[in-house]
DNA sequence: TGACACACGC
DNA sequence: GACGTACGTGTGTCAT
């Protein structure tokens, strides 16, 4: 296949320059080569990875163009080009020539116009066309088969967008609307304003409603207040902005197919250039590992751009190009063009009929419609059911809660039928919702969200996106029913029933269909066991925990809050006195200005990327010696955080119906397999500092006849590393039940455990920690505040002492490179798309994930299994003890006092034996009147 | 309203 | 030799 790449030269250079300008790279002769290096790297990425057959780089000429009606602005823009960027330009041209890539200069047109026109022409001739250009401007081109290529940026792998992705990104229906949005918003060309007061969001909404800038202007009388005023006053400007955003697709430029054919790079041109610019690594990428610049250092580079003969052999680099992107132009199916039977079951008779049908099924798919997204705080609006593709029912539920309950109760035989499997999307929500209406869902579960999470944890699992990706079906959007999210968003209850019927029935229908797509996929990725034995059963456990909630002691918190308030006020006053001025200490911006401009605490203060001074904890700590004001500021911050995030926020989360806080565990966000907790987040309650820990006193048992029991795995991740790697030294340390960090330190520093100093233990602990979280030597040095070299030395010693761990790491990485994924003990997969990336940053990220995912993920598997087994046993023995919280390696229970001694061994045994290991698993268990005492 | 800086847990 | 370095949730500030 012919594959044409069109690059906007100036855009690339600018982009490369600004990406690298934070740490400009100077050669020994003083030339800042950051832009050249960035450009060359991107070029190499394109060539090596995408293997185009044809290519061209397009440069703007310095003449006014059709699009730049405002030439003064254009000139200013050009003149503002930084000096070093201007210097880089000739070198970039040399690079391009060295690679034998044709250059096209735009004569009176923008580079984008040339690219656009060429792209269209090439497309007609059967090319697959890619346009490399900054994100926004090219959107309209994708209206056909042309793809937008975005080079790798810091921390991001390169990205290729087709029409589908662009529409999704812009949240619109038609690609042409991008131009109108840009026109209105004014973000098309630097400094050319659109219509004042209209940002991205407003522009999108208005364009969606009216279709184009012109339409909005002619309907301006329908707008209100300031917006109307602005649209009327700045109509001209809006139109101009749109014009500037529009790419011309018919400029007079010929597609010279032969001339654009790509051929091998010229060694004669590139070698001396790379030598001059001291591009060792880039040279190696192009010419292989024996490339060296040392012996050519003295070779002067031809200054005449066109004087050097171009390499004669025009042997193309063409390789078979596999087109991995399937044709995404196919119009998505939707409710209007796919046959379906969606019934409304709004009478007793119809419901009876429906229930009869449902009771005959082996599995049913259901969904609930509610007034909100928090199952603990909202009400049921309706139920929907599906039993075969294209056929679904919607059962409205009245607002009167007693009537609602009785209708839900009619369906009890279905929901509570153990032999009828239940399918849903994020079914925990629905189970929880029904619990509040007195229904205990039973039977095997199949959650499409969890299925997709297990299949590919790193991606998104929302129903809409799954539907579009796997069924090529675009569901009715929720915003079409209740409006865009925000404070004015409506409520499902206010939507007319016919619309809800379609929406709700469709949801159940889609979910049912997704199940049949995911079932074989689960088999394919060998994750059936994982989902059937862990994730699906866990849903019931989590639903019970969330429903149960935790009791909070208001009095403790109220008093603590008062205490904090006076302390904060005191600290505030001290800080003001020491600074000599009142300011908002909670504002990093103001704080930075006071510390570094008024008090001049550090003349070399670092700034953040937005130009503010950094005022993070480690920065402030390094200043502690210079002024005691920083101590007060740090204390202020700590107390303020405690007060606002925990002490004052927790009581507000208490559910008035139960007087308890009901967190929500998200089972499908953390790619490693861990859970996360929201509303409130119970997984980040303070513990490290004396005062912070106090918050845990407020987590109490339901009454005086109960106690809190807390059980946590000791060093679970390190034990898992030992288990997976079978490293003899580390296994021995655990078998001997040594303090693992001390044992590590003893090994690393070659001394006996009792000689280990606290600093050495701290270092060893940090290394252990770093391995668990996939840190690098840099991360370690930051963590410990030691030079990178020293950190690297410690790590080296560590690996020498624990060779099994080193072996595990390289084995895992090799496995990932070959298979593209890594696995936990229970077979949970994580796909690492970037593991073979040419970009070292991106690849490094994937490599750390490769090592980290099996460890963290196995620990997550283990505690999940323990939770399921404990839950089952508590139920089987009809105990009143309840599991209430999970904090990654800790489980918390609310237990009747007389059951404590009975329950403890159950917890202990199930946690220890969740996964069979050679390394001993240690569980620490405690009891108390509150969480702090129990922990 | 969204981006940012910061801080909490594991 | 530089890039930029665990994740997830929540808070307050500030510019729009």
């Amino acid at each position: 296949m012919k594959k044409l790449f069109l690059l906007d030269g100036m855009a690339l250079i600018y982009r490369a320059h600004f990406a690298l300008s934070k740490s400009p790279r100077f050669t020994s002769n003083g030339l800042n080569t950051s832009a050249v290096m960035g450009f060359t790297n991107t070029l190499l990425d394109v060539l090596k990875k995408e293997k185009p057959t044809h290519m061209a780089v397009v440069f703007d000429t310095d003449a006014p163009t059709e699009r730049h009606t405002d030439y003064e602005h254009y000139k200013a823009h050009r003149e503002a080009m930084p000096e070093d960027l201007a210097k880089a330009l000739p070198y970039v041209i040399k690079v391009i020539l060295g690679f034998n890539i044709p250059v096209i200069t735009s004569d009176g047109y923008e580079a984008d116009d040339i690219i656009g026109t060429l792209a269209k022409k090439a497309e007609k001739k059967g090319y697959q066309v890619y346009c490399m250009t900054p994100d926004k401007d090219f959107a309209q081109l994708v209206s056909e088969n042309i793809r937008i290529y975005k080079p790798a940026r810091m921390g991001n792998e390169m990205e290729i967008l087709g029409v589908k992705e662009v529409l999704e990104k812009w949240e619109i229906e038609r690609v042409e609307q991008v131009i109108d949005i840009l026109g209105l918003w004014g973000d098309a060309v630097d400094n050319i304003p659109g219509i004042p007061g209209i940002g991205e969001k407003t522009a999108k909404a208005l364009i969606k409603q009216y279709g184009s800038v012109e339409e909005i202007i002619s309907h301006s009388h329908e707008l209100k207040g300031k917006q109307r005023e602005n649209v009327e006053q700045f109509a001209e400007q809006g139109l101009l902005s749109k014009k500037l955003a529009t790419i011309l697709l018919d400029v007079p430029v010929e597609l010279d197919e032969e001339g654009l054919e790509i051929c091998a790079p010229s060694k004669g041109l590139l070698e001396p250039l790379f030598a001059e610019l001291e591009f060792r690594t880039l040279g190696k990428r192009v010419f292989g590992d024996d490339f060296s610049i040392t012996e050519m250092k003295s070779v002067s580079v031809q200054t005449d751009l066109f004087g050097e003969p171009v390499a004669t052999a025009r042997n193309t680099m063409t390789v078979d190009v596999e087109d991995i992107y399937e044709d995404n132009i196919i119009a998505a199916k939707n409710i209007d063009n796919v046959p379906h039977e969606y019934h409304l079951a709004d009478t007793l008779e119809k419901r009876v009929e429906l229930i009869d049908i449902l009771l005959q099924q082996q599995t049913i798919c259901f969904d609930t419609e509610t007034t909100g997204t928090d199952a603990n705080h909202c009400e049921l609006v309706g139920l929907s059911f599906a039993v075969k593709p294209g056929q679904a029912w919607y059962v409205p539920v009245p607002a009167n809660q007693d009537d609602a309950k009785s209708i839900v109760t009619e369906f009890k035989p279905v929901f509570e039928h153990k032999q009828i499997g239940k399918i849903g999307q994020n079914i925990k929500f629905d189970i929880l919702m029904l619990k509040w209406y007195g229904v205990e869902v039973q039977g095997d579960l199949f959650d499409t969200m969890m299925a997709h999470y297990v299949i590919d944890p790193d991606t998104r699992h929302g129903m809409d996106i799954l539907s579009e990706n796997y069924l090529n079906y675009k569901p009715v959007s929720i915003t079409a029913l209740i409006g865009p999210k925000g404070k004015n968003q409506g409520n499902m209850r206010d939507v007319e029933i016919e619309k809800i019927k379609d929406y709700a029935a469709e949801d159940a229908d889609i979910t049912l269909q997704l199940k049949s797509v995911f079932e074989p996929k689960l088999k394919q990725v060998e994750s059936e066991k994982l989902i059937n034995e862990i994730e699906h059963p866990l849903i019931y456990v989590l639903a019970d925990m969330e429903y149960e909630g935790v009791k909070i002691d208001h009095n403790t918190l109220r008093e603590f809050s008062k205490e904090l308030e006076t302390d904060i006020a005191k600290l505030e006053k001290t800080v003001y006195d020491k600074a000599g001025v009142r300011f908002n200490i909670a504002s990093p911006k103001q704080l930075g200005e006071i510390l570094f401009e008024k008090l001049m605490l550090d003349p070399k203060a670092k700034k953040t990327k937005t130009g503010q001074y950094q005022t993070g904890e480690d920065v402030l700590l390094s200043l502690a010696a210079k002024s005691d004001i920083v101590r007060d500021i740090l204390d202020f911050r700590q107390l303020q955080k405690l007060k606002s995030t925990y002490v004052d926020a927790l009581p507000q989360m208490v559910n008035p119906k139960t007087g308890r806080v009901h967190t929500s565990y998200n089972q499908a966000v953390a790619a490693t397999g861990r859970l996360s907790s929201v509303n409130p987040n119970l997984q980040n309650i303070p513990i490290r500092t004396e005062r912070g820990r106090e918050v845990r006193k407020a987590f109490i048992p339901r009454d005086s006849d109960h106690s809190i029991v807390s059980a946590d795995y000791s060093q679970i991740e390190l034990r898992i590393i030992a288990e997976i790697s079978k490293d003899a030294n580390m296994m021995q340390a655990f078998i001997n039940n040594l303090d693992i960090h001390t044992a590590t330190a003893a090994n690393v520093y070659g001394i006996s455990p009792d000689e280990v100093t606290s600093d050495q233990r701290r270092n060893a602990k940090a290394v252990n920690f770093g391995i668990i979280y996939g840190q690098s030597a840099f991360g370690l040095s930051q963590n410990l505040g030691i030079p990178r070299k020293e950190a690297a030395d410690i790590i080296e010693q560590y690996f020498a002492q624990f060779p099994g761990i080193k072996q595990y790491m390289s084995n895992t990485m090799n496995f990932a490179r070959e298979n593209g994924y890594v696995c936990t003990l229970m077979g949970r997969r994580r796909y690492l798309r970037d593991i073979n990336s040419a970009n070292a940053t991106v690849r490094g990220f994937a490599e750390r994930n490769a090592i980290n995912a099996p460890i963290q993920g196995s620990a997550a598997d283990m505690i999940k299994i323990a939770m399921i087994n404990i839950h089952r046993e508590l139920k089987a023995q009809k105990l009143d003890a309840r599991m209430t919280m999970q904090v990654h390696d800790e489980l918390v229970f609310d237990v009747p006092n007389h059951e404590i001694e009975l329950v403890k061994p159950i917890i202990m045994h199930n946690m220890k034996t969740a996964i069979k290991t050679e390394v001993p698993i240690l569980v620490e268990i405690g009891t108390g009147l509150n969480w702090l005492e129990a922990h």
Side-chain angles (χ1 to χ4, degrees):
Chain A
M1 189 188 198
K2 291 186 291 185
K3 197 167 183 178
L4 171 64
F5 254 87
L6 296 165
L7 281 73
D8 179 342
M10 281 316 295
L12 244 182
I13 296 172
Y14 260 99
R15 185 171 198 154
H17 174 74
F18 290 114
L20 296 169
S21 61
K22 264 201 293 184
S23 51
R25 186 192 181 283
F26 288 95
T27 61
S28 45
N29 59 28
L31 179 71
N32 178 359
T33 59
S34 58
V36 191
M37 185 164 64
F39 180 88
T40 316
N41 252 320
T42 306
L43 197 56
L44 273 173
D45 277 345
V46 169
L47 291 172
K48 293 224 157 164
K49 211 156 171 182
E50 293 299 321
K51 302 183 178 71
T53 59
H54 294 69
M55 196 162 182
V57 181
V58 183
F59 280 94
D60 301 326
T61 54
D62 222 352
T65 72
E66 188 73 14
R67 302 240 318 277
H68 280 124
T69 28
D70 181 358
Y71 187 58
E72 282 311 307
H73 154 75
Y74 176 75
K75 234 170 67 188
H77 187 70
R78 276 284 178 269
E79 277 162 9
M81 184 198 282
E83 198 186 337
D84 49 354
L85 200 57
K87 274 192 198 152
L89 197 50
Y91 287 96
V92 171
I93 302 281
K94 285 185 203 172
V95 169
I96 295 171
L97 293 178
F99 278 100
N100 279 333
I101 291 168
V103 176
I104 298 173
T105 50
S106 68
D107 199 8
Y109 291 96
E110 277 290 284
D112 283 348
D113 301 331
I114 306 274
I115 293 178
T117 308
L118 286 176
K120 282 275 181 186
K121 289 189 173 175
E123 191 198 3
K124 277 197 195 120
K125 297 201 171 179
Y127 282 81
Q128 175 58 62
V129 185
Y130 289 77
C131 299
M132 204 312 295
T133 172
D135 319 359
K136 300 173 198 116
D137 311 10
F138 248 78
Q140 68 172 336
L141 276 178
V142 261
S143 57
E144 309 204 16
N145 224 342
I146 297 159
R147 287 174 189 148
I148 298 177
Y149 173 87
K150 292 167 67 185
R153 263 198 282 185
M154 299 306 163
N156 285 319
E157 191 53 289
M158 66 180 180
E159 198 182 346
I160 295 170
L161 300 177
V163 65
K164 200 170 118 193
E165 290 91 341
V166 170
L167 289 175
E168 192 181 303
K169 221 176 132 186
W170 283 83
E171 297 163 6
I172 50 167
E173 310 261 311
R174 287 179 297 115
V175 168
E176 304 81 56
Q177 293 183 335
V178 171
I179 299 307
D180 284 281
I181 292 168
L182 287 172
L184 210 57
W185 171 21
D187 200 47
V189 185
D190 318 81
N191 301 325
I192 293 275
I195 292 180
I198 294 187
E200 182 178 356
K201 235 184 145 88
T202 325
K204 277 181 188 165
L206 285 173
I207 294 296
K208 247 190 218 170
Q209 195 179 343
Y210 292 97
S212 72
V213 178
E214 290 82 358
E215 283 297 305
I216 291 167
I217 291 169
S218 67
H219 287 86
S220 63
H221 55 275
E222 291 171 20
L223 302 172
K224 275 184 243 150
K226 194 80 189 157
Q227 202 170 62
R228 173 179 177 175
E229 225 175 84
N230 279 334
V231 169
E232 284 171 355
Q233 191 184 341
F234 295 95
E236 286 275 301
Q237 201 169 287
L239 291 170
L240 174 62
S241 177
K242 177 177 174 178
K243 187 176 174 195
L244 296 177
T246 306
I247 295 162
L248 306 176
L249 299 174
D250 54 354
V251 302
V253 55
E254 283 312 310
L255 177 71
D256 172 11
E257 288 185 78
E258 219 171 286
L260 301 190
E261 232 170 73
I262 199 167
C263 48
S266 155
K267 212 167 175 169
L269 281 173
L270 282 178
E271 272 189 346
L273 179 63
F274 283 179
E276 187 197 352
L277 296 173
E278 297 165 17
F279 284 178
R280 293 171 191 83
T281 312
L282 284 177
K284 286 196 174 112
R285 274 189 75 188
V286 181
F287 300 112
D289 279 340
D290 28 323
F291 176 81
S292 156
I293 65 167
T294 42
E295 68 265 23
M296 342 179 176
K297 200 85 205 258
S298 55
V299 178
S300 74
V301 181
Q302 291 280 346
T303 44
D304 180 0
L305 283 183
F306 303 96
E308 187 80 11
V310 173
T312 44
R314 289 186 62 102
N315 35 341
T316 61
M317 296 173 72
T318 317
V319 196
D320 278 343
V321 178
E322 269 176 282
D323 206 0
I324 51 162
Y325 287 77
E326 72 252 66
D327 198 78
N328 49 28
I329 306 298
I330 312 164
K333 295 182 277 187
N334 61 53
I335 195 161
D336 297 324
N337 59 26
V338 171
H340 59 268
E341 276 178 52
Y342 293 161
H343 313 278
L344 185 64
D346 55 352
T347 63
L348 180 61
E349 208 178 8
K350 289 182 191 166
R351 288 196 297 270
V352 169
E353 200 181 323
L354 169 59
I355 290 166
D356 193 47
I357 296 172
L358 294 173
L359 283 171
Q360 292 170 31
Q361 310 298 319
Q362 289 191 319
T363 53
I364 60 160
C365 179
F366 79 99
D367 187 29
T368 57
E369 298 308 327
T370 61
T371 54
T373 50
D374 182 349
N376 299 316
H377 287 100
C378 63
E379 292 178 355
L380 203 56
V381 173
L383 299 165
S384 58
F385 299 90
V387 295
K388 64 178 191 188
Q391 192 176 27
W393 289 263
Y394 176 65
V395 182
V397 166
N400 177 310
Q401 289 303 289
D402 290 333
D403 296 348
K405 204 162 178 173
S406 71
I407 289 189
V408 174
T409 310
E410 292 171 15
F411 288 85
K412 234 178 155 170
V414 176
F415 288 127
E416 300 194 345
H417 200 303
K418 281 187 184 165
Q419 307 311 321
I420 300 178
K422 312 291 188 300
I423 304 164
Q425 161 79 9
N426 189 14
I427 203 167
K428 175 159 68 66
F429 177 88
D430 308 290
I431 293 174
L432 202 52
M433 205 61 222
L434 290 170
K435 259 178 185 289
W436 289 105
Y437 285 82
V439 172
E440 286 294 324
V441 175
Q442 295 195 63
D444 289 340
L445 298 180
F446 190 102
D447 187 332
T448 46
M449 181 180 81
M450 290 314 299
H452 194 258
Y453 173 70
V454 163
I455 292 165
D456 193 358
D458 277 286
T459 51
R460 289 154 62 196
H461 321 294
M463 197 201 71
D464 289 7
I465 190 115
L466 295 180
S467 170
E468 286 181 53
N469 288 345
Y470 292 92
L471 306 173
N472 188 33
Y473 182 95
K474 193 171 168 42
V476 177
S477 84
I478 180 86
T479 47
L481 267 64
I482 59 171
K485 71 165 193 260
K487 68 173 162 40
N488 295 325
Q489 185 168 42
N491 185 318
M492 201 52 117
R493 185 153 278 158
D494 308 326
V495 181
E496 57 186 287
I497 219 149
E498 271 300 311
K499 280 189 179 165
I500 311 188
K501 184 199 85 180
D502 277 349
Y503 172 83
E506 187 191 53
D507 268 10
D509 184 15
I510 291 171
T511 307
L512 183 75
Q513 295 186 42
L514 282 172
K515 187 222 178 194
S516 22
V517 176
F518 292 151
E519 234 171 8
K521 274 197 195 291
L522 286 165
K523 193 163 195 170
Q524 201 186 319
V525 297
E526 297 164 352
S527 298
E528 290 160 299
K529 230 175 115 96
L530 175 68
I531 193 150
N532 291 330
E533 291 174 22
I534 301 183
E535 300 299 357
H536 281 156
L538 187 68
I539 293 172
Y540 281 127
V541 181
L542 295 177
D544 277 353
M545 289 168 74
E546 293 177 18
Y547 184 72
E548 194 60 36
V550 192
K551 189 166 179 193
I552 296 292
D553 181 358
H554 287 263
N555 289 335
T556 307
L557 290 180
R558 203 173 305 126
E559 273 166 38
F560 195 22
S561 176
K562 274 186 213 148
E563 207 182 288
L564 287 171
E565 197 169 339
T566 44
D567 288 359
I568 289 169
K570 268 187 224 156
L571 284 167
E572 224 172 2
K573 192 172 180 315
T574 321
V575 172
Y576 292 156
D577 287 348
K578 286 179 183 166
V581 57
R582 290 178 69 90
F583 65 100
N584 188 347
I585 312 174
S587 160
K589 190 171 183 280
Q590 293 182 31
L591 178 64
E593 281 158 16
I594 298 283
L595 289 181
F596 301 114
E597 282 170 20
K598 185 159 189 300
L599 302 175
M600 296 292 199
L601 288 186
D602 184 357
K604 288 192 299 243
K606 282 198 200 114
K607 291 195 176 180
T608 65
K609 62 181 168 185
T610 48
Q612 282 185 38
Y613 291 105
Q614 284 184 10
T615 63
E617 185 178 0
D618 46 338
V619 177
L620 292 192
L621 278 177
S622 69
L623 300 173
K626 295 202 180 139
S627 166
D628 53 357
I629 192 173
V630 290
R631 193 61 256 169
D632 297 321
I633 292 167
L634 285 169
D635 288 345
F636 172 89
R637 280 233 181 111
Q638 197 210 345
L639 301 190
Q640 181 93 340
K641 168 89 181 170
L642 273 181
K643 189 168 183 295
S644 63
T645 310
Y646 304 105
V647 181
D648 291 347
L650 275 173
Q652 290 177 19
M653 305 296 299
V654 170
N655 187 313
K657 280 185 278 184
T658 62
R660 304 161 74 84
V661 291
H662 302 264
T663 187
S664 173
Y665 290 101
N666 199 330
Q667 210 178 340
V669 278
T672 52
R674 277 186 172 184
L675 299 176
S676 80
S677 153
V678 285
N679 294 321
N681 182 352
L682 293 183
Q683 295 181 320
N684 72 344
I685 305 298
I687 188 154
R688 285 174 206 187
T689 62
E690 195 69 39
R691 298 200 75 175
R693 210 174 295 155
E694 293 286 302
V695 177
R696 294 190 174 219
K697 278 193 187 162
F699 288 77
I700 54 173
R702 68 190 57 222
D703 57 40
S704 55
D705 291 335
H706 289 70
S707 296
I708 298 287
V709 173
S710 157
D712 65 301
Y713 282 114
S714 152
Q715 305 297 349
I716 188 61
E717 270 106 350
L718 287 174
R719 285 172 204 266
I720 283 169
I721 297 172
E723 176 70 23
I724 299 179
S725 69
K726 304 282 182 210
D727 181 274
N729 270 341
M730 186 154 284
M731 283 179 84
Q732 202 53 52
F734 282 121
I735 288 165
N736 296 345
N737 199 16
L738 300 176
D739 173 293
I740 190 62
H741 301 311
T742 307
T744 307
N747 271 308
V748 168
Y749 292 101
I751 49 181
S752 75
D754 46 323
E755 287 173 313
V756 171
T757 66
S758 65
D759 264 358
Q760 287 169 331
R761 183 179 184 277
R762 196 170 62 95
N763 287 356
K765 188 176 172 181
V767 183
N768 283 332
F769 183 83
I771 286 175
I772 294 169
Y773 293 126
Q775 268 182 345
S776 55
F778 175 86
L780 182 68
S781 70
Q782 287 282 301
N783 231 319
L784 289 171
I786 57 174
R788 200 155 142 185
K789 174 83 174 63
E790 210 173 296
D793 286 346
I794 296 177
I795 291 176
E796 196 185 313
Q797 264 308 305
Y798 186 96
F799 285 145
Q801 289 305 311
F802 300 106
I805 293 179
K806 176 124 197 222
Q807 189 61 47
Y808 154 74
M809 289 184 164
S810 60
N811 289 349
T812 311
M813 279 200 274
N814 284 335
F815 182 90
R817 277 184 208 119
E818 275 168 36
N819 300 288
Y821 67 90
V822 289
C823 266
T824 66
L825 288 174
M826 296 307 294
R828 181 191 303 282
R829 285 189 189 186
R830 179 157 188 200
Y831 285 87
L832 300 158
R833 291 161 183 77
D834 301 337
I835 194 79
N836 293 313
S837 167
N839 179 324
T841 307
V842 174
R843 190 181 58 244
F845 191 74
E847 284 171 355
R848 289 196 298 276
N849 276 335
I851 292 163
N852 167 246
I855 299 166
Q856 251 192 56
S858 298
D861 292 346
M862 188 182 276
I863 196 163
K864 281 177 172 177
I865 295 171
M867 288 166 76
I868 294 164
N869 292 341
I870 293 168
H871 182 257
R872 185 186 300 134
E873 203 158 334
L874 292 180
K875 250 193 167 154
Q877 298 200 24
K878 299 206 164 38
L879 294 168
D880 290 322
R882 293 284 181 270
M883 199 187 312
T884 54
M885 292 191 272
Q886 190 254 38
V887 190
H888 306 309
D889 62 357
E890 175 186 10
L891 294 175
V892 181
F893 301 81
D894 194 352
V895 186
N897 291 331
H898 68 272
E899 283 182 8
I900 291 178
E901 292 315 312
L902 198 64
V903 164
K904 269 185 172 178
I906 296 177
I907 298 171
M908 193 68 130
H909 174 257
N910 283 302
M911 285 176 81
K912 280 188 174 179
T913 60
I915 296 178
K916 201 178 165 331
T917 55
E918 262 179 69
V919 173
I921 301 294
L922 187 69
V923 173
E924 286 162 357
I925 196 159
T927 314
L929 294 177
N930 58 56
W931 191 9
L932 180 59
E933 270 184 29
H935 190 79

